[in-house]
Amino acid sequence: MVRRSFLPGNVGLAPMAGVTDYAFRTICFKHGAQFAFTEMISAKSVLLNISINEIYFPKEDEKNKVGVQLFGSDPYELAEAAAMVQERGLWVDLNAGCPVNKVIKKGAGSGLLKDFENLRAVVREMRKVVKRFSVKTRIGWDKDEFEKIYDILVSEGVDMIFVHGRTAKQMYSGKARWDIYNPKSVPLYMSGDIYTREDIKRAMEESGADGVIVARGAIGNPWIFSGSEPSFGSKLQTILEHIEKLYELYGKHGVVEFRKFVAGYTKDMPYAREFRSKVMKITDVEELKCAFQKYFEEFRTA
Ligand SMILES: Cc1cc2nc3c(=O)[nH]c(=O)nc-3n(C[C@H](O)[C@H](O)[C@H](O)COP(=O)(O)O)c2cc1C
């Protein structure tokens, strides 16, 4: 029996640690993202009940469209953590793709793709307790082994698969592939190098996937979800709103958090380099908003 997706749409925001927080998710939802993930959360930290985790969990107004992503390598730890957090979002996703050293050296993230037996054990234990369960994976550790990975995930009963079309060794470079193994036993969502509406369409066509998740292509460009070209005024308005939301979430530190988005929001704008280097030094929220207003004003009248 082919499983049906429980997601509220087919184009979502991919998980990005340090990026896809409540503020950015809200901005992307406003522009048409149909679902999203939390940043990855350590299963161990959930079990230790670490209070800083609170900031990662979905908020009430987005609970029915955000998945909670966990990472770890111990099957029982992951299952216990998943059982604890599953009611906090729409579903639970297992991270089997993160290539960062401090994660893989503990066998977590894409480290799971080096040990298929443990991957199977993790998925099996999580499946026993998680109601709505997906895995986000890469196509392999150092070569394309997606067929094997897919078959493990499906035989252990996952509801959906998200796949980033690169190996772990590729990190984030090289072209992501979209022509992957997809016998359509479960809904599959493609990730990797999706920067335009045309990419969304082509990634779905080439992979036969049910949908896509947009990652770096959404940073500074939440309009990728609506497909509309923002007017000058609405772009500025979104930027100011994003700054405000980060400020609400993190206080003064929100200004520093916004720096990750400056390059994206000012892409292809005149004198962007000079503006960016100036803006990166600002630490006050009002000053930051004023700098953007002034810059956009100058651009408008230029
Ligand atoms: C800064 C950054 C942080 C990321 N963090 C996560 C994460 O926490 N969990 C995860 O599954 N993938 C994470 N990813 C991978 C993305 O979800 C996505 O699969 C990958 O970036 C490929 O898509 P892209 O080429 O369109 O950026 C991250 C990517 C980036 C760039």
Side-chain angles (χ1 to χ4, degrees), residues 14-17 19 39-40 69 93 95 98 136 138 164 166 172 191-195 213-217:
M16 284 181 280
V19 178
E39 304 169 62
M40 62 179 195
Q69 192 187 62
D93 179 74
N95 180 321
C98 178
K136 181 164 178 284
R138 291 196 173 225
H164 173 186
R166 291 186 172 90
Y172 293 96
S191 170
D193 285 346
I194 295 173
Y195 289 96
I213 47 174
V214 184
R216 289 172 294 182

Side-chain angles (χ1 to χ4, degrees), residues 122-134:
V122 163
V123 174
R124 183 169 293 176
E125 288 310 312
M126 290 181 83
R127 178 70 282 185
K128 286 182 192 164
V129 295
V130 179
K131 281 187 228 150
R132 290 177 295 276
F133 179 37
S134 68

Side-chain angles (χ1 to χ4, degrees), residues 145-210:
E145 295 192 291
F146 188 55
E147 188 168 338
K148 271 192 209 155
I149 295 166
Y150 186 102
D151 289 344
I152 291 172
L153 302 183
V154 170
S155 65
E156 294 303 329
V158 301
D159 295 312
M160 306 185 292
I161 297 173
F162 296 89
V163 58
H164 173 186
R166 291 186 172 90
T167 63
K169 283 280 179 201
Q170 277 181 285
M171 305 288 283
Y172 293 96
S173 61
K175 187 95 192 84
R177 53 188 305 184
W178 296 333
D179 59 331
I180 41 117
Y181 176 74
N182 181 13
K184 305 197 177 185
S185 314
V186 292
L188 181 117
Y189 295 80
M190 201 65 227
S191 170
D193 285 346
I194 295 173
Y195 289 96
T196 63
R197 296 296 297 181
E198 184 56 29
D199 291 341
I200 293 177
K201 192 165 151 268
R202 279 193 30 238
M204 283 178 68
E205 277 165 11
E206 280 186 35
S207 59
D210 297 79

Side-chain angles (χ1 to χ4, degrees), residues 15-56:
M16 284 181 280
V19 178
T20 56
D21 56 14
Y22 176 58
F24 189 49
R25 291 195 301 264
T26 306
I27 296 288
C28 290
F29 285 139
K30 196 167 169 186
H31 292 285
Q34 291 164 307
F35 62 92
F37 298 75
T38 62
E39 304 169 62
M40 62 179 195
I41 304 170
S42 137
K44 220 183 250 319
S45 75
V46 169
L47 299 184
L48 293 171
N49 212 355
I50 292 179
S51 60
I52 50 163
N53 273 343
E54 262 326 295
I55 203 153
Y56 295 124

